[in-house]
Amino acid sequence: MNKKVIVTGGAGYIGSHTVIELIHAGFEPIIIDDFRNSKPWIIDRIQEVSDAKVLFYEVDCQDKDAVETVFKAHPDAAGVIHFAAYKAVGESVDKPIAYYQNNVGSLCVILELMETYKIQHFVFSSSCTVYGEPKSPIVDELTPIQKATSPYGDTKITCEKITEFEQASKGTLKAILLRYFNPIGAHESAKLGELPQGIPNNLVPYITQTAKGIRKELTVFGSDYNTIDGTNVRDYIHVVDLAKAHVAALNYAINKSGSFCEPFNLGTGKGTSVLEIIQTFETVNNLKLNYKIGPRRAGDVEQIYANANKANKVLNWTCQYGIAEALEHAWNWEKTLN
Ligand code: UD1
């Protein structure tokens, strides 16, 4: 099997860490990214960390002709890992069309080209957001998908469905849908991490920017939830563990016979509250964070964490890092940024 893998969004937060792990595992990633949510120097960093030359194309995934030039140059690629997408829940409410055009449009371009070039192995970035507000906080892959509460969430559900229908219709795809819980942290080298544009929406980049003095204080969105300490509970997973799961998923798809479309939860299986994240951040990094308790954020799920037994068993993958290391790495990364 050829070791080339096309990675859309390969300069992004999860994409860049996955490219590193693909190289470690002997794959040859070919990055497609147009830097709308990253920076060209991330490519240099990937090469520095991996000590390898990485092939890279500055292309918008919605532009089929441009993406096709990449497929034409690498018709022998073993598979595609598709990260390229918008990911901000709040922004998606303001710009629904942009979210459907980009997230759903790009997926259609990729699946069409995979069919044309007879590339079978596909790994898609989905999200635990597909479970909505679940009846029980711990969800496995059989937990029902619920109606989305944001365009972002709906694009993930729609992309999963399109992939399932495409697989059923053509009978050639070997597709894996990876439902991420909350990715946090940065590369241990502090050379790669998250690059939020503007004010961060997500908890951990907001925390690191507050600790650095870029933001005045963190607001904890609600402390009156029915949880361990009243704040929301999530399953925070180190981005490097998440990245490694993509390699495991790709290998699983390559080694499994037949055509399929299978979902996997990627989480640690452990729930952590917002206050526990803050306290751990303060302890591991030996600093005090300026924060206050504020009102709930509209649309937040009370608590959700993964039953990741399927990924543990079938992909033979488990998380190696805990939240303490993730929060230490996130802070080390933040300190390197200007
Ligand atoms: C959500 C989705 C996730 C999606 C992500 C994209 C769910 C369960 N999760 O993550 O699938 O990929 O958006 O961005 O739908 N918080 C604060 N103060 C802040 C920021 C966050 O208290 O300034 C709290 C939130 O209320 C939440 C937790 O921190 O309880 C995590 O928030 P965030 O990092 O935004 O991720 P989710 O909303 O869980």
Side-chain angles (χ1 to χ4, degrees), residues 92 96 176 191:
S92 78
I176 306 287
K191 290 186 190 298

Side-chain angles (χ1 to χ4, degrees), residues 134-284:
K135 286 205 180 71
S136 150
I138 180 149
V139 295
D140 64 19
E141 293 80 359
L142 298 174
T143 302
I145 303 290
Q146 294 204 55
K147 198 170 173 301
T149 53
S150 74
Y152 161 77
D154 199 44
T155 65
K156 291 296 170 189
I157 296 173
T158 305
C159 287
E160 284 202 2
K161 280 198 191 138
I162 291 171
T163 309
E164 279 166 12
F165 282 128
E166 174 67 4
Q167 183 270 324
S169 149
K170 304 287 165 0
T172 49
L173 267 187
K174 294 166 180 279
I176 306 287
L177 311 171
L178 296 179
R179 295 178 180 157
Y180 310 153
F181 284 68
N182 289 55
I184 60 165
H187 200 262
E188 200 168 15
S189 64
K191 290 186 190 298
L192 289 169
E194 197 168 358
L195 283 179
Q197 295 202 339
I199 302 170
N201 302 297
N202 296 110
L203 179 63
V204 171
Y206 207 104
I207 288 178
T208 57
Q209 288 198 4
T210 305
K212 206 176 174 186
I214 301 171
R215 310 282 154 212
K216 205 168 107 279
E217 68 181 347
L218 170 81
T219 302
V220 174
F221 296 140
S223 63
D224 57 349
Y225 287 99
N226 186 21
T227 60
I228 171 179
D229 57 21
T231 64
N232 287 151
V233 169
R234 296 285 183 274
D235 188 334
Y236 295 93
I237 172 171
H238 195 296
V239 68
V240 171
D241 283 327
L242 192 64
K244 287 179 177 162
H246 290 74
V247 178
L250 183 64
N251 277 325
Y252 170 74
I254 289 172
N255 292 321
K256 187 176 162 147
S257 55
S259 172
F260 47 85
C261 181
E262 270 190 61
F264 286 90
N265 282 347
L266 296 182
T268 63
K270 197 175 163 290
T272 306
S273 75
V274 176
L275 287 179
E276 284 172 329
I277 287 284
I278 294 171
Q279 279 147 13
T280 309
F281 181 82
E282 291 183 326
T283 307
V284 295

Side-chain angles (χ1 to χ4, degrees), residues 80-81 230 273:
V80 179
I81 304 183
S273 75

